[in-house]
Amino acid sequence: MDLEADYIATTVQNTYDALPAKYKPVKATEDFFQWVPLSGIVAVKKNEQKPRCLSLGTGMKCLPMNQVAEANGSILHDWHAEIVAIRAFNQFLLHECLELATSPTSISPIVRRREVHELSESDGLQPFSIHDDLRLHMYSSEAPCGDASMELLMEAQVDATPWPIDQLDPATKKLPALLRGRESFAELGIVRRKPARADSPQTLSKSCSDKLALKQCTSLLSACTSLIVNPGNAYLETLILPRSQRVEHACERCFGPRGRMKPVATHQWNGGYAFRPFQVRATEHEFAFSRRSKPESSRELRTSNIAAVCNPHVQEALILGRLQGRQKFDPKGLSAICSKRMWGMTLQVLAMLGTPRSLQSISESSHAREWKKSELFADRRRVKADVTAEALSGWVRNDGDDFEVEPG
């Protein structure tokens, strides 16, 4: 029994339990029980046992690739629980940074101002860091979709024979570079895309297993957050799964330095980036809305379409990547964790701090695509390029969503 893992899991579950009913699946009936995956990020201060839930998310859907170009930064591409929790964590960091930038006397228990000797004299970027004595952990109620859950997926089938591929790549006559989640069970240790079901709309969103594997190199920070927060203390120390969802050899293959990440296991990059593998630990606690929590009195198991977003500053319920109850292109339907809002917060922080010299060359640009192509993200781009070339080959960018970046 891993008491720390149990404590972290219950911290996330208790935070979720405290949310109002509108953020949760409907109550079980004789007809059906609704389930949803839950993920959360917890900070624990070194030598203390007082975990604090910094963010959580639920959800299991993503945006079809034929709708990405219409998203305009205002619709989430991926609202699987793990991704929602990570985005909510980044929104929390941006909020903390904004408060620190607004008031020189403000103090945050999670984020600190970096000392002068830690800053680069050439650009003045990344003026903040997560406190050095904090450790970050993630709890998930289900094994991440993709490579880490392939054995569980096979075990759940009546017939565990690998599903055939409908079409080989016409150019190479080989398997497609990016398989759907449930295609070809025999292929392990590879990049897969969401969703798993063959009858679902096509997407280019990579599986949560793949995204978490990459986060071991890029840190939990999103692109915009990495402009103002140093990545050094923003890596996960552990991923905690229910014991029923933790297949040790699958997790080692997916995330470990002796598995598919071996080619980058000793890598360190400029900008504070490195391969920092997390441990995958087991908890005995199951989530109340897990698929395994279905009561015998309910005849059918159904999925919930609500994605909950929560951190100390935000509580939201999302449907199809936007605020529940809002139409597709309603400007009031933007989630606090959508790209447009997150980039807006980043620019607010930068405006409060004054424009560093390295930002002046692109300060006239108003589009996210131009920001991401700039030298500001050169170190981060190098990390992603190396990892997707050497360890996560087959990674295909989910491009097409460009939008204006403006403070707010």
Side-chain angles (χ1 to χ4, degrees):
M1 182 178 293
D2 188 332
L3 294 179
E4 184 183 36
D6 289 346
Y7 201 11
I8 291 168
T10 55
T11 297
V12 176
Q13 292 172 3
N14 290 342
T15 304
Y16 181 80
D17 290 344
L19 293 175
K22 69 176 183 178
Y23 300 103
K24 302 173 183 176
V26 299
K27 289 185 178 181
T29 68
E30 290 184 359
D31 292 327
F32 64 88
F33 171 80
Q34 279 194 343
W35 74 280
V36 70
L38 168 69
S39 290
I41 294 175
V42 170
V44 180
K45 195 170 184 179
K46 192 175 181 180
N47 299 323
E48 290 188 9
Q49 293 297 320
K50 296 179 181 179
R52 176 180 178 182
C53 184
L54 302 184
S55 70
L56 65 76
T58 64
M60 60 176 89
K61 304 292 183 182
C62 53
L63 191 69
M65 62 183 181
N66 61 5
Q67 297 181 27
V68 169
E70 301 176 356
N72 194 34
S74 61
I75 302 175
L76 302 189
H77 294 182
D78 182 346
W79 51 98
H80 279 222
E82 296 92 333
I83 310 309
V84 172
I86 291 171
R87 296 187 72 89
F89 170 73
N90 277 269
Q91 199 278 343
F92 168 76
L93 292 181
L94 289 173
H95 193 285
E96 295 293 288
C97 291
L98 184 58
E99 290 192 348
L100 291 174
T102 302
S103 173
T105 59
S106 292
I107 297 175
S108 165
I110 305 300
V111 178
R112 66 173 177 85
R113 299 174 182 85
R114 296 175 75 198
E115 301 292 336
V116 174
H117 66 85
E118 297 177 279
L119 299 173
S120 168
E121 295 181 2
S122 62
D123 58 31
L125 288 176
Q126 297 181 338
F128 302 106
S129 171
I130 293 172
H131 283 294
D132 299 344
D133 59 352
L134 291 179
R135 302 294 179 263
L136 300 177
H137 309 269
M138 173 179 268
Y139 159 76
S140 287
S141 65
E142 306 287 334
C145 65
D147 195 52
S149 59
M150 292 308 296
E151 280 82 354
L152 293 170
L153 198 57
M154 286 186 273
E155 186 180 292
Q157 306 304 311
V158 175
D159 178 4
T161 303
W163 293 7
I165 304 298
D166 292 337
Q167 282 188 319
L168 296 179
D169 188 307
T172 64
K173 305 301 181 184
K174 297 180 180 179
L175 291 174
L178 194 59
L179 295 177
R180 283 186 180 226
R182 295 182 184 178
E183 286 180 335
S184 190
F185 288 158
E187 300 295 321
L188 300 175
I190 63 172
V191 174
R192 293 177 177 271
R193 59 189 164 98
K194 301 165 180 170
R197 285 174 41 179
D199 60 349
S200 300
Q202 297 253 1
T203 82
L204 285 179
S205 288
K206 270 60 66 182
S207 75
C208 290
S209 288
D210 300 320
K211 291 185 176 182
L212 289 173
L214 180 62
K215 290 293 184 185
Q216 294 181 121
C217 300
T218 62
S219 83
L220 288 173
L221 302 183
S222 61
C224 58
T225 315
S226 71
L227 276 177
I228 58 177
V229 179
N230 184 270
N233 295 332
Y235 287 86
L236 282 176
E237 186 164 291
T238 60
L239 171 64
I240 296 166
L241 302 174
R243 187 167 298 281
S244 65
Q245 297 294 288
R246 179 181 174 270
V247 179
E248 187 171 356
H249 65 272
C251 292
E252 175 59 33
R253 178 188 66 235
C254 180
F255 303 119
R258 294 183 297 276
R260 62 177 179 169
M261 303 302 288
K262 184 176 181 179
V264 298
T266 60
H267 279 32
Q268 292 188 337
W269 294 271
N270 292 333
Y273 295 103
F275 176 62
R276 300 265 297 275
F278 48 69
Q279 288 184 301
V280 183
R281 294 159 62 180
T283 176
E284 306 301 325
H285 293 266
E286 288 282 2
F287 176 44
F289 292 99
S290 159
R291 70 174 89 194
R292 295 169 298 284
S293 298
K294 183 181 85 69
E296 292 184 4
S297 58
S298 295
R299 290 190 289 270
E300 185 181 347
L301 188 66
R302 297 182 185 176
T303 58
S304 172
N305 65 346
I306 294 177
V309 181
C310 178
N311 67 34
H313 307 298
V314 169
Q315 287 184 9
E316 294 178 341
L318 309 183
I319 300 288
L320 299 178
R322 294 176 65 81
L323 292 182
Q324 184 179 27
R326 295 292 180 178
Q327 296 298 315
K328 186 174 182 180
F329 297 109
D330 184 347
K332 295 182 179 179
L334 275 66
S335 167
I337 65 170
C338 74
S339 295
K340 200 175 187 70
R341 294 279 300 275
M342 300 264 278
W343 276 92
M345 284 192 72
T346 303
L347 292 194
Q348 274 188 288
V349 176
L350 291 172
M352 295 298 300
L353 297 172
T355 304
R357 193 184 318 164
S358 60
L359 284 179
Q360 293 174 2
S361 61
I362 62 166
S363 60
E364 299 301 320
S365 173
S366 60
H367 285 267
R369 183 178 297 169
E370 296 306 313
W371 279 78
K372 291 180 180 179
K373 288 180 181 178
S374 75
E375 283 300 306
L376 297 170
F377 297 101
D379 292 338
R380 181 182 170 88
R381 282 199 305 271
R382 171 49 57 192
V383 177
K384 296 181 75 172
D386 287 351
V387 176
T388 55
E390 300 174 36
L392 301 177
S393 59
W395 190 287
V396 178
R397 288 179 57 84
N398 195 10
D399 285 330
D401 184 5
D402 193 22
F403 53 93
E404 289 189 12
V405 175
E406 53 189 3

